[in-house]
Amino acid sequence: MTHRVRKSVWGLPDGDETLMWYERAVEALWQLPVDNPRAWFFMGAVHGVPPSFPNIPARAQFWDQCQHQSWFFLPWHRGYITAFEAVVAEEVASLGGPEDWALPYWNYSQDLADNPDARRLPSPFRDQLKPDGTRNYLFSRRRLVTNGDFGLTDQIVSLAAMGFSDFTNSTPGVPSGFGGPVTGFNPGGGDSGALEQLPHNVIHVEIGGFMRDPRTAAFDPVFWLHHCNIDRLWETWRQDPLHADPASPLWLTGQPFDMHDGQGQPFSYTAQDMLDTTQILHGYLYDTIPSPVSPGDTTPDDTEALAMSSSGDPEIAGASEAPVRLGPTVTRTRVPMNTDVALAGPDEAPGSSRRVYLELQGIRGTGVAGNYAVLIDLPGDDMVPVRAGVLSTFGHARASRADAPHGGSGLNQIFDITAHAFSLGLTRGDTGALEVLIEPMGAADQAWGVPPGLEGVVAETDEPADVTIGRINVIFE
Ligand SMILES: [Cu+2]
């Protein structure tokens, strides 16, 4: 049996019709009533429900289901985009297109030497109208960029996540592994896994428009190519014999998810059902990854992977004294250090098992905000501040609602600053404070902008963008 093959969108040859058929299918699905499980609006609301969206009977079971800041992030989205692919492929075939349509992926992290255009949005997504003057259903207003160039930097397309050896880690204060922390059903709140954080969250916010908020993200047709790429990166990671998905039954079978297939029939799945891509609905493969090994063949097991990566109990070596509200320019925060904890011995140089993390805890607020560059510095020295990472606000408003998981305590974000901590002298134990600088990246884009045809269906956000960090911690592990 042959399987659908998901290809790089920038690698599609001249004259390829994959995106032409995608656009035609989106147009057809757009016309379906919102309570039809195959409707564009229904499928987008499965991820998140925009304010002012209609209430339908299926809402409680099928909408607002996306899993974020969770070890279910990757398997839930795999089922979601594959169900979407099934619906689009069904529509393409019924419109007279190919029988084997597959979702392409956008590999923005591709080496620019191999493809100078890799970081640009492919042109079929850019223009409001098609060459014949009719509406382009792949268009969505995105950060007011019309030439496809979002200015994605090396830092934004970083694949550092692929270096994580463990899938999950639930130790507070340290990164939660490649795939995310152990949770139950979790639409948002807490720590993102490494791949979810970067590039996933950061790309969402950089693209802007609907993509900036989980409640509207799946209404942008490029959402699906972004998530197809994230899914490909998971598949690439898990094909490495040194990596393993969680072996816990809580992950494998403990949490079922409800979805609709290409015919609009309900089905449910667990993470275990997502491990062999050739067995999910119609089955698919990626053009550049070898066939999956069968589930269960992977080594080492989860507990060994966890044991290898954790080296000691994390301790808080410094903490900010009050919540930090981010301003329109640079926000500077002094983080007093506890000199008893902030001491690394001479044998604990970079490369040893001792790690230092900067934790932004309880990122809360309203509206749709941008990304922020996070830099660290020692007060009073003459060195230039160094970059600790990118703070992404994707989902911060949703994770702040009192009815959200964790009671609306917001998002957490953790950066590994080990190398900087040694070079700044933070580990000498004689440093009184660390200064953290948080600076908006790029232009503000506070409105979603309602694309043509969605007026009256999706309200433009009227909440002001506001971001507050509950506490900034320096953690020694
Ligand atoms: Cu996403």
Side-chain angles (χ1 to χ4, degrees), residues 230 239 241:
I230 296 298
Q239 295 299 328

Side-chain angles (χ1 to χ4, degrees), residues 8-297:
S8 168
V9 70
W10 277 112
L12 298 173
D14 280 351
D16 182 272
E17 296 188 332
T18 304
L19 292 179
M20 187 271 280
W21 286 111
Y22 182 33
E23 198 268 344
R24 290 191 57 185
V26 172
E27 177 177 11
L29 298 169
W30 194 288
Q31 317 307 326
L32 299 177
V34 67
D35 57 353
N36 183 326
R38 300 176 70 252
W40 177 256
F41 298 117
F42 188 108
M43 292 192 293
V46 167
H47 192 270
V49 182
S52 79
F53 226 58
N55 252 318
I56 61 163
R59 179 172 178 146
Q61 187 182 357
F62 293 103
W63 283 4
D64 221 359
Q65 300 292 299
C66 70
Q67 298 295 298
H68 291 107
Q69 290 82 48
S70 166
W71 62 348
F72 294 123
F73 168 72
L74 291 166
W76 183 83
H77 281 83
R78 175 166 284 185
Y80 182 42
I81 65 170
T82 307
F84 174 81
E85 179 179 62
V87 171
V88 173
E90 188 74 24
E91 202 62 31
V92 166
S94 76
L95 290 167
E99 298 285 332
D100 62 347
W101 189 89
L103 195 58
Y105 59 86
W106 178 18
N107 181 10
Y108 28 72
S109 303
Q110 189 181 8
D111 193 331
L112 291 177
D114 296 332
N115 175 15
D117 288 326
R119 296 180 191 176
R120 292 167 76 99
L121 188 71
S123 56
F125 291 87
R126 293 180 201 164
D127 295 326
Q128 198 156 346
L129 301 177
K130 286 181 285 195
D132 67 2
T134 60
R135 178 171 160 207
N136 173 17
Y137 279 82
L138 300 186
F139 175 81
S140 184
R141 193 128 55 84
R142 306 172 180 100
R143 225 190 73 190
L144 303 180
V145 167
T146 53
N147 64 356
D149 184 359
F150 295 96
L152 304 181
T153 61
D154 291 352
Q155 192 179 24
I156 288 168
V157 300
S158 165
L159 293 181
M162 303 302 276
F164 275 71
S165 58
D166 48 339
F167 187 97
T168 186
N169 186 343
S170 289
T171 309
V174 310
S176 53
F178 175 79
V182 175
T183 69
F185 187 90
N186 193 52
D191 307 332
S192 293
L195 184 65
E196 180 180 0
Q197 181 52 47
L198 184 67
H200 169 264
N201 289 349
V202 173
I203 291 275
H204 262 283
V205 172
E206 284 302 301
I207 289 175
F210 281 174
M211 283 283 277
R212 272 200 177 175
D213 190 305
R215 295 170 295 182
T216 53
F219 293 94
D220 184 335
V222 85
F223 168 93
W224 306 94
L225 280 74
H226 174 37
H227 266 278
C228 192
N229 189 49
I230 296 298
D231 186 66
R232 181 184 65 91
L233 292 170
W234 178 27
E235 194 56 27
T236 306
W237 183 89
R238 62 188 300 279
Q239 295 299 328
D240 183 330
L242 294 175
H243 295 159
D245 296 318
S248 163
L250 287 176
W251 186 77
L252 288 168
T253 54
Q255 179 63 58
F257 300 108
D258 294 321
M259 201 66 70
H260 290 88
D261 66 13
Q263 282 76 40
Q265 295 304 310
F267 72 102
S268 78
Y269 62 94
T270 61
Q272 180 164 266
D273 300 325
M274 297 293 107
L275 299 183
D276 179 349
T277 63
T278 66
Q279 300 299 314
I280 307 169
L281 298 180
H282 45 274
Y284 68 89
L285 294 169
Y286 287 101
D287 53 357
T288 56
I289 309 176
S291 299
V293 291
S294 53
D297 282 1

Side-chain angles (χ1 to χ4, degrees), residues 12 154 161 202 306 316 355 378-379 414 429 471:
L12 298 173
D154 291 352
V202 173
L306 275 176
I316 295 181
R355 312 300 301 172
L378 293 191
I414 301 169
R471 203 162 92 158

